[in-house]
Amino acid sequence: MTLQIGVIGVGMIGQDHIRRLTTVLAGASVVAVSDVSAEQARDVAARIGAKAYATGEELIASADVQAVIVTSWGPTHAQYVLAAIQAGKPCFCEKPLAETEADCLAILDAETAFGRRLVQLGFMRRFDAQYRAMKQTVESGAIGAPLIFQSGHRNPSVPGYYTANNALTDTAVHDIDIARFLLDDEPAAISVKSPRKNSRGGGLADPLLTLIEMRSGALVSIETSVNIAYAYDIRGEIVGETGVVTLAERNDVVVKANGVFSGRVPADWRERFVSAFDEEFRQWIAAAGAGGATGPSAWDGYVATVTSATGVKAMANSSREIIALRERPSLYRTA
Amino acid sequence: MTLQIGVIGVGMIGQDHIRRLTTVLAGASVVAVSDVSAEQARDVAARIGAKAYATGEELIASADVQAVIVTSWGPTHAQYVLAAIQAGKPCFCEKPLAETEADCLAILDAETAFGRRLVQLGFMRRFDAQYRAMKQTVESGAIGAPLIFQSGHRNPSVPGYYTANNALTDTAVHDIDIARFLLDDEPAAISVKSPRKNSRGGGLADPLLTLIEMRSGALVSIETSVNIAYAYDIRGEIVGETGVVTLAERNDVVVKANGVFSGRVPADWRERFVSAFDEEFRQWIAAAGAGGATGPSAWDGYVATVTSATGVKAMANSSREIIALRERPSLYRTA
Amino acid sequence: MTLQIGVIGVGMIGQDHIRRLTTVLAGASVVAVSDVSAEQARDVAARIGAKAYATGEELIASADVQAVIVTSWGPTHAQYVLAAIQAGKPCFCEKPLAETEADCLAILDAETAFGRRLVQLGFMRRFDAQYRAMKQTVESGAIGAPLIFQSGHRNPSVPGYYTANNALTDTAVHDIDIARFLLDDEPAAISVKSPRKNSRGGGLADPLLTLIEMRSGALVSIETSVNIAYAYDIRGEIVGETGVVTLAERNDVVVKANGVFSGRVPADWRERFVSAFDEEFRQWIAAAGAGGATGPSAWDGYVATVTSATGVKAMANSSREIIALRERPSLYRTA
Amino acid sequence: MTLQIGVIGVGMIGQDHIRRLTTVLAGASVVAVSDVSAEQARDVAARIGAKAYATGEELIASADVQAVIVTSWGPTHAQYVLAAIQAGKPCFCEKPLAETEADCLAILDAETAFGRRLVQLGFMRRFDAQYRAMKQTVESGAIGAPLIFQSGHRNPSVPGYYTANNALTDTAVHDIDIARFLLDDEPAAISVKSPRKNSRGGGLADPLLTLIEMRSGALVSIETSVNIAYAYDIRGEIVGETGVVTLAERNDVVVKANGVFSGRVPADWRERFVSAFDEEFRQWIAAAGAGGATGPSAWDGYVATVTSATGVKAMANSSREIIALRERPSLYRTA
């Protein structure tokens, strides 16, 4: 009953997933690892009693491996996901699904040819209790049809190699995905506003306000502030026809001292989304154990890649760009 | 020591100001009224023991009148404000200062020629304790330089004659003014997004998302939702370089019953801004009693009129329009 | 139409009331003052253009004075209130109504003999919007019958002469009155718990937890913390059969910076209750102008004095003491 | 590396723990069960692939069982805990440790004789993130020395056989334990106030206000309301010398509709403490795997039993009762 997992790419994220799968959650066992650094693969394998493979492809092919996690460098995602599909093995892939639209389409084609979902994308927000409550509220009709979704994505700081394009492809991509999830809608056009720059960002175009027009006409406004120092803060509000729903502030305690009340804001994404990651993998273990996947699909990964890439173009040209998507294959039409 | 006031235009707003000046606040007496309806002027005058005048100009000219309040129909504001300036009498004018840029400029010229401020515009938000605390926070440096201001302006419903242009000239104009106040900045360009329409609005382009680029580069995003049913709700958040400041939710009590906690949201602008109106007139009585004005000036009225008119053009053309302002006269340069 | 008021006792509180009546509220004029310090009376009178009287009795007798405010030293309240009743003049008296039960009863007898209410006690909480919303909630049935009221009364510090008895007679007396108001009930028995002392209080028995059993059986628990440093904080929650109602935290803005969200707590009672004081006097001016009084009555002052005095005894004896009240005269039976 | 666990008593709680250990958490395997109903033991065993034992004693003795969970009927706890100690096996025991003081003392003696902790009590609140943050706040000195802890424990309803004694021994016992944890203090005296009864409780003395004087002098005030209908609500506030710390309200989203803002309150203890239970067993699995225990000890179970039993006496006699505790053995002196 224990799912035997191979992990391709054992950097920071890969090791964190291994920790979660081996020490936190029931039902999983990490039996295989590989990495671009053979040494790192061997070290991690030794620590957890797994076997190190020379390549991701060999790991995927191993009879010991029932399901695959892809946490390697972004440009290599597509090849491993395709190999997993060809092997008919369930595959959890961190974003991006692939860095080019062509690779995304190849994956959609392969999975469609296979005939059922094998791929799950690492958009953990879809497993967050707050976003799920937000979606339930919209679906309950309590606020009427959704008209505007305002999302705020704030990081205390980003590394020096981070560019304004990353704000779309790495940061806002989460807001893009959750907007589609919350509104049950697809993006149609995108534009990007670049206000006065945060002086802490060393010239980086930060913050950005990204505007996405959805097919229904609903508008998504995404504020990304990636050098805002104070904390990791995820905000969201949906304005409907008769009401609004807002992500609540959550805190353990409120302290009153020295003339003020106060409470903590999460320090980083790990703290903010720890329960979402747990839930994401709990559901994946169950789905992969049954030979499939659940939650965000390859289709969701494809739309995220195309939308953020179109956003990069819109930012470069200070233009409003149409987002051109393939028709959604029937495999991805069920909720 | 009691300021003797004449009120031009005694419709709903005018009468509410009279009520406040005669039954709530110290230091004022309403001695004169006029109205386009002579009968209504006589009725109100009789009720409060004031004298009814046939025209606003006669009221302004009366020796009994020390200060003037203009709450007549918008298109008539300019003529009365100009008359008050010519008479050298302090004048409180509800928005708009004037409906055309030309009339606004004439008022600026007249007041500048007079040599000191006589005109105060009815942008009551500047006297609201929450906005003042927000401005203090920005000025304290607690959040670093302000980069984005997100404003939400929600009305439960609007009358049938209300048009999408009103959403800019009557509704968002308050957000435009408070943005300038909070950021200590002037608008440079404007564009307007019109998402999916609220089905409650009978075809009205509602909600709108108005984007204003300020001279500093700071970005202002104004959501106007004027048929949102649930309540009158004013939201605001400033994103700075190192933190954010948000208008707090205010409520008298929280009730827990039937599985939920809950509290009231204000029903209308009167409830939301009752203390701001009190403070606005308290400060105006003092300033007018000393022969002048305080708070929002004719300059602020001029910028509001030009900005919202430029927004109307931007919305009509789906374009980004530059906001062209006269150079600020020195009379309006002090804080 | 302006109420001509005489103020007996022009110390800090008296002067604050004078400021409110002359510069904030409509409809009142302070024409007379007196004080135990003739010099202070003259100074204040000169400043506001009133007449200084040698004694409170002379002030009350003056034909110029239509209504009286008693803000003198506590032990002198009874004599002035009685004199005002004998003169048939409306009288606003700060707590206590009188320091002894006998004096309270003399006032009840005098007012009853006069035949209608002239006396209003300075329990300003009854005019606070939050407490009024709390009472409305109870009366609406939203939480079922009230069973427990938990009140918290926190002062940053108290002066050196303040004793544990003051915590009952000066501090908790406000909670006692508001408990009666909220629960529409009378106190039946009282006991006082004295926990570990706050080391900031120089040996003062602080905090205290005072428990009052009401006639209905509802229980009132009052925490008084009078050296708690952080702010002036008034808390309250009513536990009913099916729900609870809690005084909301109110704040102008929330700031997020340095890893925390935060907001101010009021610094002192003036800040916390400024609107309640305004409303208290607004309603008193109207009621006194009509020859009477509104809100908290001499009966409320009597019950407050008896209850807090019984609490002093309970604390001294570590006992539970029965609160013996006269039967409520019909004059005080209407809401 | 997987801990092999035997569960004694597979009623509702026992089965919930089994579910958690087998489907949620890593590192544990349930290999043995027993129950007073042999049939129920066989059914559960069959479902999870464990072995059913005729008695708890046989289960404990089995070489397959490395650690024991006692979730049988309260009066049987002591015998199984003693058997586990005698077998030198780690033992998780739901409250109560034992129903009599004598049995508690026998367990303390046995564990002390064994020489290290084997027993962990099921006071899950100690693993709740909110309470841990509260304790951290106290320990940080942010509010000064703690003086009063006010705890609120509210259940929507209780079954018909529930008595007022249960409000102490089953309900307030959690507040008693968490008070000791938060204040790092022991109870010295107890009294119980029984206000007006909730009419929903069919004559049950509900709510209760239990007052506990701690050895330091700090006061604990526990409100238990066990028929309050609206939700399961756990409140807590510690009043210190210079500040207060309060359990925050936590909610996923806030909805504004129909004139109010609102959000959910947990429906029951499972929802409120789901993460605390996860954490409790995660830590127990680790500690038991190392042959010991962590968190609440047999000593904590002993103090809880004695304190709530003394509370029952205080309630019956309307008296203040001294809580007589054995001296704390050194085994239980480390944090």
Side-chain angles (χ1 to χ4, degrees), chain C residues 145-148 150 154 191 193 195-200 207 209 211 213 216-219 221 223 225 227-230 237 239-244 320, chain D residues 145-148 150 154 191 193 195-200 207 209 211 213 216-219 221 223 225 227-230 237 239-244 320:
Chain C
L147 306 176
I148 299 179
Q150 310 207 28
R154 298 171 190 154
S191 54
K193 289 275 182 186
R196 177 183 187 179
K197 292 174 187 169
N198 190 328
S199 64
R200 302 180 70 249
L209 197 77
L211 297 171
E213 302 161 37
S216 70
L219 187 63
S221 166
E223 170 220 330
S225 295
N227 280 296
I228 202 165
Y230 76 91
E237 183 167 67
V239 178
E241 292 187 303
T242 59
V244 301
R320 172 180 174 271
Chain D
L147 306 176
I148 299 179
Q150 310 207 27
R154 297 172 191 154
S191 54
K193 289 275 181 186
R196 177 183 188 179
K197 292 174 187 169
N198 190 329
S199 63
R200 301 180 72 250
L209 197 76
L211 297 171
E213 302 160 39
S216 70
L219 187 62
S221 166
E223 170 220 328
S225 295
N227 280 295
I228 202 165
Y230 74 91
E237 183 168 66
V239 178
E241 291 187 304
T242 59
V244 301
R320 171 179 175 273

Side-chain angles (χ1 to χ4, degrees), chain C residues 71-84:
Chain C
T71 43
S72 54
W73 192 42
T76 66
H77 285 189
Q79 72 187 82
Y80 298 129
V81 172
L82 282 167

Side-chain angles (χ1 to χ4, degrees), chain B residues 192-238:
Chain B
V192 181
K193 290 275 182 187
S194 174
R196 177 183 189 179
K197 292 174 188 170
N198 189 329
S199 63
R200 300 180 71 251
L204 182 69
D206 165 52
L208 298 178
L209 197 77
T210 300
L211 297 170
I212 302 177
E213 301 160 39
M214 306 298 279
R215 287 192 184 157
S216 70
L219 187 62
V220 175
S221 167
I222 303 169
E223 170 221 329
T224 46
S225 296
V226 299
N227 280 295
I228 202 164
Y230 75 92
Y232 180 78
D233 199 14
I234 300 299
R235 308 304 311 138
E237 183 167 66
I238 299 178

Side-chain angles (χ1 to χ4, degrees), chain C residues 27-334:
Chain C
S29 172
V30 176
V31 299
V33 301
S34 73
D35 197 88
V36 63
S37 154
E39 190 184 344
Q40 175 134 341
R42 277 195 306 272
D43 286 355
V44 171
R47 181 155 24 95
I48 62 168
K51 183 172 170 189
Y53 288 78
T55 66
E57 284 78 0
E58 288 172 60
L59 178 150
I60 291 167
S62 165
D64 291 344
V65 171
Q66 297 171 327
V68 178
I69 291 178
V70 177
T71 43
S72 54
W73 192 42
T76 66
H77 285 189
Q79 72 187 82
Y80 298 129
V81 172
L82 282 167
I85 294 172
Q86 272 137 26
K89 294 190 179 178
C91 173
F92 179 98
C93 178
E94 276 302 332
K95 72 165 169 71
L97 174 66
E99 297 213 324
T100 67
E101 181 174 1
D103 280 348
C104 289
L105 292 174
I107 290 169
L108 293 185
D109 288 342
E111 200 177 30
T112 300
F114 184 77
R116 72 161 196 274
R117 280 190 58 194
L118 288 172
V119 180
Q120 179 168 334
L121 255 287
F123 288 127
M124 77 291 184
R125 290 190 183 187
R126 293 193 182 213
F127 299 93
D128 177 66
Q130 297 196 260
Y131 280 118
R132 285 186 294 179
M134 193 173 229
K135 184 171 175 64
Q136 273 187 324
T137 302
V138 173
E139 290 176 347
S140 75
I143 64 164
L147 306 176
I148 299 179
F149 170 48
Q150 310 207 28
S151 192
H153 190 145
R154 298 171 190 154
N155 271 285
S157 64
V158 285
Y161 56 77
Y162 187 99
T163 67
N165 287 359
N166 291 122
L168 290 160
T169 57
D170 285 0
T171 301
V173 71
H174 281 289
D175 306 81
I176 291 167
D177 183 67
I178 206 68
R180 296 176 57 246
F181 173 72
L182 293 168
L183 304 176
D184 195 17
D185 204 350
E186 293 293 9
I190 189 168
S191 54
V192 181
K193 289 275 182 186
S194 174
R196 177 183 187 179
K197 292 174 187 169
N198 190 328
S199 64
R200 302 180 70 249
L204 181 69
D206 164 52
L208 297 179
L209 197 77
T210 301
L211 297 171
I212 302 177
E213 302 161 37
M214 305 298 279
R215 286 190 185 159
S216 70
L219 187 63
V220 174
S221 166
I222 303 169
E223 170 220 330
T224 46
S225 295
V226 299
N227 280 296
I228 202 165
Y230 76 91
Y232 179 78
D233 200 13
I234 300 298
R235 308 303 311 139
E237 183 167 67
I238 299 179
V239 178
E241 292 187 303
T242 59
V244 301
V245 55
T246 310
L247 295 180
E249 300 284 352
R250 288 176 68 88
N251 195 257
D252 289 325
V253 291
V254 175
V255 178
K256 291 178 179 173
N258 302 316
V260 300
F261 68 83
S262 66
R264 290 187 69 250
V265 187
D268 57 26
W269 53 269
R270 268 190 207 79
E271 180 180 348
R272 170 62 183 83
F273 286 113
V274 60
S275 296
F277 282 114
D278 284 354
E279 183 65 20
E280 176 185 52
F281 278 102
R282 192 169 289 132
Q283 292 199 22
W284 180 67
I285 291 167
T294 190
S297 67
W299 174 259
D300 299 312
Y302 157 72
V303 179
T305 292
V306 171
T307 303
S308 57
T310 311
V312 167
K313 192 171 152 199
M315 179 166 58
N317 300 340
S318 297
S319 59
R320 172 180 174 271
E321 297 289 335
I322 299 297
I323 296 163
L325 296 176
R326 168 190 287 202
E327 193 182 353
R328 190 174 186 146
S330 62
L331 177 61
Y332 305 108
R333 268 180 215 153
T334 37

Side-chain angles (χ1 to χ4, degrees), chain A residues 236-316:
Chain A
E237 183 168 65
I238 299 178
V239 178
E241 292 188 302
T242 59
V244 302
V245 55
T246 310
L247 295 180
E249 301 284 352
R250 288 175 68 89
N251 195 256
D252 289 325
V253 291
V254 174
V255 178
K256 290 179 179 172
N258 302 315
V260 299
F261 67 84
S262 66
R264 288 187 71 251
V265 188
D268 56 26
W269 52 270
R270 270 191 205 77
E271 179 181 348
R272 169 65 181 81
F273 286 115
V274 59
S275 296
F277 282 113
D278 285 355
E279 184 64 19
E280 176 184 52
F281 278 101
R282 192 170 287 133
Q283 292 198 22
W284 180 68
I285 291 167
T294 190
S297 67
W299 174 259
D300 298 312
Y302 157 72
V303 179
T305 291
V306 171
T307 303
S308 58
T310 311
V312 167
K313 193 172 151 200
M315 180 165 58

Side-chain angles (χ1 to χ4, degrees), chain B residues 26-55:
Chain B
S29 172
V30 177
V31 299
V33 299
S34 73
D35 197 89
V36 64
S37 155
E39 190 185 343
Q40 175 134 341
R42 277 194 306 274
D43 285 356
V44 171
R47 181 156 22 98
I48 61 169
K51 182 172 170 189
Y53 288 80
T55 67

Side-chain angles (χ1 to χ4, degrees), chain A residues 145-148 150 154 191 193 195-200 207 209 211 213 216-219 223 225 227-230 237 239-244 320, chain B residues 145-148 150 154 191 193 195-200 207 209 211 213 216-219 223 225 227-230 237 239-244 320:
Chain A
L147 305 177
I148 298 178
Q150 309 207 31
R154 298 173 190 154
S191 55
K193 290 274 181 187
R196 177 183 189 178
K197 292 173 187 170
N198 190 329
S199 63
R200 301 179 72 248
L209 197 76
L211 297 171
E213 302 159 39
S216 71
L219 188 62
E223 169 220 329
S225 296
N227 280 296
I228 201 164
Y230 75 91
E237 183 168 65
V239 178
E241 292 188 302
T242 59
V244 302
R320 171 179 175 272
Chain B
L147 305 176
I148 298 179
Q150 310 206 28
R154 298 172 190 153
S191 55
K193 290 275 182 187
R196 177 183 189 179
K197 292 174 188 170
N198 189 329
S199 63
R200 300 180 71 251
L209 197 77
L211 297 170
E213 301 160 39
S216 70
L219 187 62
E223 170 221 329
S225 296
N227 280 295
I228 202 164
Y230 75 92
E237 183 167 66
V239 178
E241 292 188 303
T242 58
V244 300
R320 171 180 175 273

